[in-house]
Amino acid sequence: MRKTLSALATALLVAACAHQPMLLRVEPTAAQLDAAQRVGLDAAQLGPLLNKPLYLMQPAELGRFLAWQQLDQPELRRRIAALARKNIGQPYELFLLGEFPYETYDTQPLFSLAKSDCVVFAEHTYAMALSASWEEFFWMLQRIRYRDGVIGTATRNHYTEADWNIANNWLVQDVTAALGAPTLPYHQRIDRQAFLLKQFKIQRDIPVQPFDDVYIAKQDVAAIEAQLQDGDFVNVISGRGGNYYASHVGLIVTGADGSRRLLHSAEPQVREETLQGFIARMAERDAGQAGQTKAALAGFKFLRLNESPQVPPMAPQPRPARPF
């Protein structure tokens, strides 16, 4: 009986393995080893880092890897694509964004290498690509995530179009209207005061901001996607009944066949797929939700990665106010 069970277990293990992709170990090249030596890494340290996904690294490991990556991929766009792909498979968790333990309004942490949501994934990838150490990465992350780099729930870039895109125009520039495809206008009413009070019980006196923007309809993307470049920032625009907003974000990478691909964090994990494949997948989802009140894919905004981003200085972090 034991032999039968053992044979069955072995057969099941072999069958399971047959459906798993074989991960080939990457061996560093001579050029990569030379770059490693320049940042104080030896072959015994570089090899494991090359074969470990970013989301399994510890902060000290990531710091060493980023220093090496600056030399191995000196061109920013290629470095962004390489880092983004090294995080494929990272588990997804919605709303993985917060100020804990600096503040306690939101219990999510200031950083998590192990998991991401769509915004966290994009911010981490940009910050890593612009950094050569853990300390620089963590500083850069705050510069991207918060207005003037001032850490706080109220200073976080909550609204993609009205906050994140504008605050980070030193990093990416909106080229949606310049790509040559027809654009469609949409309007938002940004009520930060109501949002902060409802979501976090934070009281701030902030006037309502009317905000107008444009996007390219999903059916018109194929005509312009060849113009997109590695590292460009994508806003996925969704909605219905005239109420449109950026429901998701991701990064553009170029496939080996020249196709433009969306690399993004979405349930259940970070993935890479063609833009047209993403559009087709969303069409299936929206068809299945027909008759419901859920938002449907409408189109996209595209923001071009600046060739040589000049990082603005951080504003001073103010001393927290005391309660009365």
Side-chain angles (χ1 to χ4, degrees):
M1 181 66 175
R2 284 183 182 173
K3 287 183 178 179
T4 303
L5 289 174
S6 176
L8 178 60
T10 301
L12 289 173
L13 180 61
V14 169
C17 291
H19 290 86
Q20 297 294 323
M22 295 297 291
L23 299 178
L24 299 177
R25 180 174 174 80
V26 177
E27 296 295 340
T29 65
Q32 289 176 328
L33 287 171
D34 179 65
Q37 289 181 343
R38 292 168 62 189
V39 295
L41 285 174
D42 58 31
Q45 294 172 308
L46 179 61
L49 293 180
L50 287 179
N51 290 279
K52 180 181 285 192
L54 291 178
Y55 63 87
L56 295 181
M57 290 187 184
Q58 296 300 311
E61 291 178 307
L62 178 66
R64 291 191 293 269
F65 183 80
L66 294 180
W68 171 82
Q69 187 80 340
Q70 287 278 330
L71 301 179
D72 185 62
Q73 293 285 357
E75 204 276 311
L76 178 59
R77 292 186 183 280
R78 295 185 65 181
R79 190 161 65 247
I80 289 172
L83 286 165
R85 284 180 166 130
K86 195 167 173 61
N87 237 352
I88 289 175
Q90 181 187 47
Y92 173 86
E93 182 176 309
L94 186 60
F95 304 129
L96 188 69
L97 196 66
E99 287 68 47
F100 190 81
Y102 180 77
E103 286 182 348
T104 56
Y105 299 113
D106 189 329
T107 57
Q108 294 287 3
L110 271 167
F111 83 93
S112 172
L113 298 181
K115 298 175 288 185
S116 68
D117 61 21
C118 64
V119 177
V120 169
F121 172 73
E123 289 179 339
H124 277 205
T125 304
Y126 280 136
M128 289 177 187
L130 293 168
S131 304
S133 67
W134 170 262
E135 293 79 8
E136 189 178 12
F137 157 71
F138 195 71
W139 180 90
M140 193 73 69
L141 182 61
Q142 313 320 320
R143 188 64 189 82
I144 292 170
R145 181 169 291 165
Y146 300 99
R147 288 194 297 280
D148 299 318
V150 176
I151 300 171
T153 304
T155 53
R156 193 196 309 169
N157 293 316
H158 290 283
Y159 291 90
T160 303
E161 301 99 307
D163 288 341
W164 203 102
N165 293 352
I166 293 174
N168 288 299
N169 62 7
W170 60 270
L171 177 62
V172 291
Q173 294 279 339
D174 191 342
V175 294
T176 306
L179 293 172
T183 58
L184 296 172
Y186 66 110
H187 177 79
Q188 292 178 317
R189 183 179 181 273
I190 309 296
D191 192 342
R192 296 180 179 87
Q193 179 173 313
F195 170 77
L196 291 171
L197 185 60
K198 179 181 179 181
Q199 293 294 117
F200 305 107
K201 306 297 186 289
I202 297 174
Q203 181 67 57
R204 292 289 189 275
D205 186 15
I206 307 172
V208 172
Q209 178 190 3
F211 189 81
D212 293 296
D213 213 334
V214 298
Y215 69 93
I216 297 173
K218 56 188 177 184
Q219 64 269 20
D220 293 325
V221 168
I224 58 89
E225 67 178 76
Q227 299 179 54
L228 303 176
Q229 300 177 28
D230 286 339
D232 287 351
F233 187 53
V234 181
N235 295 179
V236 178
I237 306 301
S238 301
R240 66 174 57 251
N243 181 28
Y244 295 103
Y245 59 96
S247 62
H248 188 58
V249 301
L251 302 172
I252 291 293
V253 294
T254 306
D257 59 356
S259 63
R260 297 316 191 261
R261 308 175 71 87
L262 182 66
L263 217 167
H264 58 125
S265 181
E267 187 69 37
Q269 61 190 23
V270 172
R271 68 183 74 176
E272 178 180 337
E273 57 188 321
T274 65
L275 265 176
Q276 293 306 311
F278 175 80
I279 292 170
R281 189 163 61 82
M282 291 301 99
E284 272 188 41
R285 181 205 65 181
D286 295 341
Q289 296 175 171
Q292 302 180 31
T293 58
K294 295 182 179 179
L297 174 65
F300 302 84
K301 289 182 60 60
F302 298 103
L303 289 88
R304 173 62 35 82
L305 175 70
N306 292 329
E307 291 300 328
S308 300
Q310 300 300 309
V311 188
M314 298 271 247
Q317 186 75 35
R319 181 172 179 171
R322 294 184 177 185
F324 292 105

